[in-house]
């Protein structure tokens, strides 16, 4: 392995002499008094840098303060010297910071303030580069502290180990300092303490930089050119010179596409033997699994799916946990599609289920259906990288990016060389939510797609994925793609034979999300950015004076659009303020064109119409240019801008007039954060779906573990549009779970405070602490609001009962997947989660043995969409609570309860802290929705005793002391 000093220096004697000279100068200067830090413009000492870490009272460098500093001087891969000190922040250390770092007020009360140690720290740093994990955080606190002292800010070269780890170590599950240090076998004794973090960051940097030659030369060259000025950029440049031939990697080609799928003229029926043989103890499915056992409910469901495909009818099938529903629909789908050469789409809601089907289940399906069976996954355009646009970005032709944005692109350069799919979801080094602007520039969205004229058409990831899907027997999509593409009569997927929806209870909610129209600050910003980017490219590619003159007129008009949009949004905000003057954040519905009197609305429509004229003139001007190969690309991009202009005008009219029947419209915004949004969406998704089902010639299967309400599917059938003529051909089946009701103890703690009581949050925290201390088991706590979760999290962090590292909280401790993996792999962990943790989590065995539901998961009644749906139910049924709110809550309640028992060997406890489940009449419907006895515990202590007895004895039902039985009588 090359040394860090090699990568920083190169091999020439000239470089070595320069380094020695620089070292002599630095040594002399370090003996002088501290001086204002200058931006370096000469070579740095060879292999020498300062690794730095600040512990602070919070994340805001302007308002929070430094409480501890650690700095380590590395030279030639070794520690030269160290510096550390507590710092008096002049304010109390927040409890959550004390929990994280172990630093309390007593540690810092007699410590020097930053002004007292500033000179010492600056002298220690000298002119050396700085290194840290997320180094910009530490530099921002350092510079804000210097600014308060009226000192000059530092402008150092730096190494960011968080960024470098994403480049050097692709596809790691996490990129925290703790995880990367552990992966690289770097000692980190006391995480979140300044000196230990600084030591680890420096050693991690050395290990990471040693691995740079493992990256292909072509990728390093692109990174070296594209990276923002930093020491990492210099390292990349030097590695290209000194280690250019270390590894040469051929960019992989795309996998070969299968032949065209030619459907059989006459349908071939699946027999019961075809299905049952696949699931038999001696069948092909048994060969794929150790200890395989037949499950009669699975075979029964598979046969009903086969009958639905044969008859081209509809099936709504609830499949309880443990049935194995994915194979129950996948195996008959595979057998049927191969037998008839027909294409079947399987739509899921979550990415996790998509990944399971593609990576685990469908390969097994091929063993059953034979080698001729083909399957593919297809996602929306925005998921795929556009090769041409990515090269334009790297060459600087898609506009200027900030330092932070350029750094974010670096991991994509290496990934783009390795990927054979171009699917951004296959890697986690780049966060497309944080860097939406960048991904919008380089994704395969159709803004300037050249189609077959594109030089990269033959290697286009999107086209390859589409062609593979068109020629596959089974295509896995998600619900969102179904609404955006399959619902369209011009879908690129063409004619589908059959559709299977897993997680079908989400179909309506996804429809409301996908069919929603939004006009807001970001929408106008994105629209103007699209046109602005097109104009910048045009100015670089055309020297023709008439074209440039026309482009300048478009640019001038673009400024008018920005001003008009700003005026309209301000008027909308003022209008909202008149109705909610005391709330900075607002959300409420409106009807019947309330904005017709706004001159800004009429003005916005006028400037949009004029933009269409300007774009047409520009297109004509480009068309007159001769011998310019960029003309076709520019015309395509102008056409896309024109389409976006037409669309934004249509959407603006739709949401401002608010007169479309059976639609709901609302406004939301936040004055403090400076944004406002208008929204509109159709209410009756079922009627839209009914028109789609009329076009599907094959079978329709809808399945999930939670579809029924009190053993009835009527609620779901109405939402799916399976009414009218479809009601005669739709079969409804409930396949019971093979799990025993005695595998879990379930109950409510009845002495819980009222939900709106100030004592409820402390009570919830006390329940969690008590059960954690008593059982030392993994506990999943489910919340219905982020605010409630944050309050309980704060209460737990200020407590001394549970170590801070044992508490994981959604949106606080990391992203969903990261904290879920920590929870599943750890012991005696507590995970606090909201919406997305109520379902789609598979944590069997000891990974999750206690589930605590803090309140019944009713929909938020104040949301305009919920209000409109409730009003519609009142019109249809005379009320909305029992016909809409309760069914929605029960489905989610059942999903949450399903997180507990995931296998026949699991045992666990489900605790509800919302006593409405036993004090309200509708509570019996929730109780009936889960199998087995549901108990009432009159105190936390009695609940603990019952759960302890359960875990120790695996008792029969009703065998607990101090428990009152809640009967399963009818409501």
């Amino acid at each position: 392995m090359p040394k860090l000093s090699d990568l920083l220096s190169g091999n020439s004697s000239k470089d070595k002499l320069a380094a020695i000279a620089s070292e002599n100068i630095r040594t002399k200067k370090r003996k002088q008094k501290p001086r204002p830090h200058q931006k370096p413009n000469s070579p740095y000492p060879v292999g020498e840098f300062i690794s730095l870490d600040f512990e602070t009272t919070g994340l805001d460098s302007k308002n929070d303060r430094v409480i501890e500093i650690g700095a380590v001087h590395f030279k030639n891969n070794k520690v030269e010297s160290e510096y550390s000190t507590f710092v008096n922040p002049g304010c109390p250390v927040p409890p959550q910071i004390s929990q994280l770092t172990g630093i309390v007020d007593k540690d810092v009360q007699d410590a020097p303030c930053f002004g007292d140690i500033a000179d010492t720290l600056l002298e220690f740093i000298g002119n050396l580069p700085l290194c840290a994990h997320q180094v910009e955080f530490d530099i921002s606190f350092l510079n804000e502290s210097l600014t308060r002292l009226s000192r000059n800010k530092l402008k150092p070269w730096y190494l960011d180990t968080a960024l470098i780890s994403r480049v050097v170590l692709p596809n790691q599950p996490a990129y925290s300092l703790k995880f990367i240090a552990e992966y690289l076998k770097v000692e980190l004794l006391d995480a979140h303490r300044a000196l230990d973090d600084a030591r680890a960051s420096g050693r991690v940097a050395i290990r990471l930089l040693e691995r740079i030659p493992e990256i292909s030369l072509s990728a390093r060259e692109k990174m070296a050119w594209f990276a923002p000025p930093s020491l990492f950029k210099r390292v990349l440049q030097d590695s290209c010179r000194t280690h250019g031939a270390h590894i040469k990697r051929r960019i992989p080609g795309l996998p070969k596409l299968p032949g065209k799928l030619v459907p059989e003229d006459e349908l071939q029926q699946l027999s019961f033997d075809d299905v049952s043989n696949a699931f038999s103890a001696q069948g092909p499915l048994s060969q794929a699994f150790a200890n395989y056992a037949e499950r009669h409910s699975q075979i029964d469901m598979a046969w009903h799916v086969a009958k639905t495909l044969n008859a081209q009818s509809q099936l709504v099938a609830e499949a309880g946990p443990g049935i194995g529903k994915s194979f129950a629909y996948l195996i008959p789908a595979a057998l049927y599609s191969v037998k008839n050469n027909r294409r079947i789409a399987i739509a899921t809601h979550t990415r996790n289920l998509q990944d399971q089907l593609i990576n685990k289940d469908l390969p097994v399906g091929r063993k059953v259906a034979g080698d001729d069976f083909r399957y593919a996954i297809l996602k929306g355009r925005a998921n795929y990288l556009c090769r041409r646009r990515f090269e334009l970005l790297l060459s600087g032709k898609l506009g200027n990016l900030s330092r932070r944005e350029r750094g974010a692109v670096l991991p994509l350069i290496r990934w783009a060389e390795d990927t054979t799919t171009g699917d951004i979801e296959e890697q986690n080094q780049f966060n497309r939510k944080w860097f939406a602007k960048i991904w919008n520039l380089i994704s395969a969205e159709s803004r300037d797609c050249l189609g077959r004229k594109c030089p990269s058409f033959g290697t286009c990831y999107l086209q390859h994925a589409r062609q593979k899907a068109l020629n596959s027997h089974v295509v896995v999509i998600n619900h969102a793609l179904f609404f955006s593409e399959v619902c369209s009569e011009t879908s690129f997927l063409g004619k589908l034979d059959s559709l299977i929806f897993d997680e079908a209870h989400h179909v309506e909610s996804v429809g409301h999300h996908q069919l929603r129209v939004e006009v807001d600050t970001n929408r106008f910003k994105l629209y103007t950015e699209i046109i602005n980017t097109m104009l910048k490219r045009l100015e670089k590619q055309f020297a023709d004076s008439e074209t440039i003159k026309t482009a300048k007129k478009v640019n001038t008009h673009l400024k008018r659009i920005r001003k008009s949009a700003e005026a309209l949004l301000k008027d909308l905000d003022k209008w909202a303020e008149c109705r909610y003057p005391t709330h900075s954040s607002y959300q409420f519905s409106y009807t019947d064109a309330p904005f017709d009197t706004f001159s800004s609305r009429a003005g916005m429509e006028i400037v949009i119409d004029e933009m269409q004229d300007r774009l047409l003139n520009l297109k004509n001007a480009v068309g007159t240019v001769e011998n310019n190969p960029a003309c076709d690309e520019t015309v395509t991009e102008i056409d896309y801008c024109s389409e976006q202009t037409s669309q934004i005008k249509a959407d603006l009219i739709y949401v401002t007039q608010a007169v479309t029947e059976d639609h709901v419209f609302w406004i939301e915004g936040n004055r403090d954060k400076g944004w406002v949004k208008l929204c509109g969406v159709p209410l009756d998704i079922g009627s839209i779906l009914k028109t789609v089902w009329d076009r599907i010639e094959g079978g329709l299967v809808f399945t999930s573990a939670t579809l029924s309400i009190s053993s009835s599917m009527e609620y779901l059938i109405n939402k799916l549009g399976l009414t009218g003529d479809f009601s005669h051909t739709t079969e409804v089946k409930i396949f019971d779970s093979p799990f025993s009701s005695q595998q879990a103890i379930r109950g409510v703690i009845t002495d819980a405070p009222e939900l709106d009581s100030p004592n409820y949050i402390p009570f919830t925290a006390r329940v969690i602490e008590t059960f954690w201390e008593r059982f030392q088991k993994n506990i999943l706590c489910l919340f219905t609001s982020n605010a409630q979760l944050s309050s309980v999290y704060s209460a737990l962090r200020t407590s001394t009962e549970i170590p801070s590292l044992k508490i994981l909280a959604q949106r606080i401790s990391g992203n969903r997947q990261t904290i879920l993996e920590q929870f599943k792999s750890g012991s005696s962990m507590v995970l606090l989660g909201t919406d997305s943790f109520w379902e789609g989590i598979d944590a069997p065995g000891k990974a999750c043995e206690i589930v605590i539901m803090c309140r019944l998961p009713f929909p938020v009644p104040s949301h305009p969409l919920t209000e409109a749906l409730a009003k519609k139910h009142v019109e249809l049924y005379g009320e909305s609570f029992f016909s809409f709110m309760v069914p929605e809550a029960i489905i989610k309640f059942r999903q949450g309860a399903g997180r507990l028992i995931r296998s026949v060997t699991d045992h666990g406890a489900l605790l509800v802290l919302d006593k409405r489940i036993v004090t309200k009449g509708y509570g019996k419907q929730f109780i009936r929705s889960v199998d087995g006895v549901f108990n009432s515990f009159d105190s936390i202590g009695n609940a603990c005793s019952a759960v302890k007895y359960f875990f120790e004895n695996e008792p029969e039902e009703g065998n607990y002391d101090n428990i009152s039985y809640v009967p399963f009588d009818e409501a």
Side-chain angles (χ1 to χ4, degrees), residues 449-466:
C449 181
L450 301 178
R452 295 186 177 276
K453 295 180 181 179
C454 178
S456 300
F457 183 79
T459 56
C460 175
Y461 297 118
L462 173 66
Q463 295 300 327
H464 186 272
R466 287 182 171 182

Side-chain angles (χ1 to χ4, degrees), residues 45 66 198 288 378 444 454 518 550 586 607 611 620 798 831 849:
V66 178
L378 184 63
C454 178
E518 297 180 350
T550 308
Y586 53 85
V607 295
M611 176 58 81
N620 292 335
T798 57
L831 195 160
E849 294 186 89

Side-chain angles (χ1 to χ4, degrees), residues 518-525 569 648 668 675-678:
E518 297 180 350
V519 175
D520 65 345
T521 311
N522 288 335
R523 176 79 180 275
F524 284 122
K525 182 180 179 182
L569 294 169
I648 203 168
E668 58 186 63
W675 66 271
V676 61
K677 178 188 293 184
L678 298 179

Side-chain angles (χ1 to χ4, degrees), residues 921-959:
Y922 59 78
K924 297 185 182 72
Q925 296 189 47
F926 287 88
I927 291 171
R928 286 197 300 269
S929 72
V930 292
D931 294 330
V933 175
F934 194 87
N935 307 281
S936 291
F937 308 111
D938 58 15
S939 68
I940 298 175
N942 284 339
C944 269
S945 297
V947 171
K948 180 175 182 292
Y949 188 88
F950 171 83
F951 280 126
E952 289 178 350
N953 298 282
E954 300 181 15
E956 297 293 330
E957 293 184 7
N959 238 5

Side-chain angles (χ1 to χ4, degrees), residues 344-348 353-355 357-358 362 375-379 474-478 481:
I344 296 176
I346 298 176
T348 74
L353 183 52
Q354 271 193 332
D355 292 343
L357 291 175
I358 287 294
L362 281 165
Y375 59 89
I377 185 170
L378 184 63
K379 301 181 181 181
V474 167
V475 183
V476 178
I477 61 175
N478 62 18
L481 186 63

